[in-house]
mmCIF file of all heavy atoms in Angstrom:
data_model
loop_
_atom_site.group_PDB
_atom_site.id
_atom_site.type_symbol
_atom_site.label_atom_id
_atom_site.label_comp_id
_atom_site.label_asym_id
_atom_site.label_seq_id
_atom_site.Cartn_x
_atom_site.Cartn_y
_atom_site.Cartn_z
ATOM 1 N N ALA T 6 5.257 64.476 -39.870
ATOM 2 C CA ALA T 6 4.869 64.106 -38.507
ATOM 3 C C ALA T 6 4.251 62.705 -38.479
ATOM 4 O O ALA T 6 4.530 61.913 -37.586
ATOM 5 C CB ALA T 6 3.891 65.121 -37.948
ATOM 6 N N GLY T 22 14.498 49.535 -9.847
ATOM 7 C CA GLY T 22 14.689 48.357 -9.006
ATOM 8 C C GLY T 22 14.410 47.063 -9.734
ATOM 9 O O GLY T 22 13.954 46.107 -9.132
ATOM 10 N N ARG T 24 16.401 44.831 -10.955
ATOM 11 C CA ARG T 24 17.266 43.743 -10.517
ATOM 12 C C ARG T 24 16.798 43.170 -9.183
ATOM 13 O O ARG T 24 16.848 41.982 -8.968
ATOM 14 C CB ARG T 24 18.700 44.216 -10.419
ATOM 15 C CG ARG T 24 19.277 44.510 -11.764
ATOM 16 C CD ARG T 24 20.699 44.892 -11.682
ATOM 17 N NE ARG T 24 21.147 45.235 -13.033
ATOM 18 C CZ ARG T 24 22.332 45.655 -13.302
ATOM 19 N NH1 ARG T 24 23.210 45.793 -12.339
ATOM 20 N NH2 ARG T 24 22.669 45.931 -14.540
ATOM 21 N N ASN T 74 -4.745 -24.089 2.019
ATOM 22 C CA ASN T 74 -5.178 -24.865 0.850
ATOM 23 C C ASN T 74 -4.953 -26.366 1.057
ATOM 24 O O ASN T 74 -5.823 -27.182 0.733
ATOM 25 C CB ASN T 74 -4.455 -24.395 -0.410
ATOM 26 C CG ASN T 74 -4.900 -23.024 -0.861
ATOM 27 O OD1 ASN T 74 -5.960 -22.550 -0.468
ATOM 28 N ND2 ASN T 74 -4.083 -22.377 -1.674
ATOM 29 N N GLN T 107 -12.391 -22.618 15.993
ATOM 30 C CA GLN T 107 -13.365 -22.228 17.012
ATOM 31 C C GLN T 107 -14.743 -22.158 16.369
ATOM 32 O O GLN T 107 -14.854 -21.934 15.169
ATOM 33 C CB GLN T 107 -12.994 -20.888 17.635
ATOM 34 C CG GLN T 107 -13.029 -19.724 16.668
ATOM 35 C CD GLN T 107 -12.575 -18.429 17.316
ATOM 36 O OE1 GLN T 107 -12.072 -18.436 18.420
ATOM 37 N NE2 GLN T 107 -12.761 -17.323 16.629
ATOM 38 N N ASP T 112 -23.917 -14.494 16.124
ATOM 39 C CA ASP T 112 -24.408 -13.235 15.572
ATOM 40 C C ASP T 112 -23.878 -12.925 14.173
ATOM 41 O O ASP T 112 -24.230 -11.918 13.582
ATOM 42 C CB ASP T 112 -24.062 -12.083 16.514
ATOM 43 C CG ASP T 112 -22.562 -11.954 16.745
ATOM 44 O OD1 ASP T 112 -21.830 -12.925 16.485
ATOM 45 O OD2 ASP T 112 -22.137 -10.875 17.191
ATOM 46 N N PRO T 118 -25.373 -21.497 13.323
ATOM 47 C CA PRO T 118 -23.926 -21.293 13.438
ATOM 48 C C PRO T 118 -23.170 -22.559 13.818
ATOM 49 O O PRO T 118 -21.975 -22.655 13.549
ATOM 50 C CB PRO T 118 -23.795 -20.231 14.529
ATOM 51 C CG PRO T 118 -25.070 -20.284 15.281
ATOM 52 C CD PRO T 118 -26.117 -20.777 14.328
ATOM 53 N N VAL T 138 1.263 -12.778 9.666
ATOM 54 C CA VAL T 138 0.043 -12.917 8.863
ATOM 55 C C VAL T 138 -0.956 -13.746 9.648
ATOM 56 O O VAL T 138 -0.598 -14.707 10.325
ATOM 57 C CB VAL T 138 0.357 -13.617 7.518
ATOM 58 C CG1 VAL T 138 -0.906 -13.917 6.746
ATOM 59 C CG2 VAL T 138 1.291 -12.780 6.679
ATOM 60 N N ARG T 146 -18.642 -27.622 9.652
ATOM 61 C CA ARG T 146 -18.368 -28.285 10.937
ATOM 62 C C ARG T 146 -17.789 -29.687 10.716
ATOM 63 O O ARG T 146 -16.912 -30.131 11.451
ATOM 64 C CB ARG T 146 -19.665 -28.330 11.756
ATOM 65 C CG ARG T 146 -19.720 -29.294 12.894
ATOM 66 C CD ARG T 146 -18.796 -28.847 14.011
ATOM 67 N NE ARG T 146 -18.783 -29.797 15.088
ATOM 68 C CZ ARG T 146 -17.989 -30.875 15.133
ATOM 69 N NH1 ARG T 146 -17.187 -31.136 14.148
ATOM 70 N NH2 ARG T 146 -18.027 -31.685 16.163
ATOM 71 N N GLN T 151 -12.638 -30.967 16.591
ATOM 72 C CA GLN T 151 -12.247 -30.167 17.746
ATOM 73 C C GLN T 151 -11.773 -31.092 18.796
ATOM 74 O O GLN T 151 -11.333 -31.093 19.741
ATOM 75 C CB GLN T 151 -13.378 -29.274 18.250
ATOM 76 C CG GLN T 151 -14.582 -29.958 18.799
ATOM 77 C CD GLN T 151 -15.569 -30.420 17.734
ATOM 78 O OE1 GLN T 151 -15.328 -30.290 16.540
ATOM 79 N NE2 GLN T 151 -16.659 -30.974 18.135
#
Side-chain angles (χ1 to χ4, degrees):
R24 291 184 183 178
N74 290 341
Q107 64 183 10
D112 59 341
V138 173
R146 162 70 183 86
Q151 65 278 4

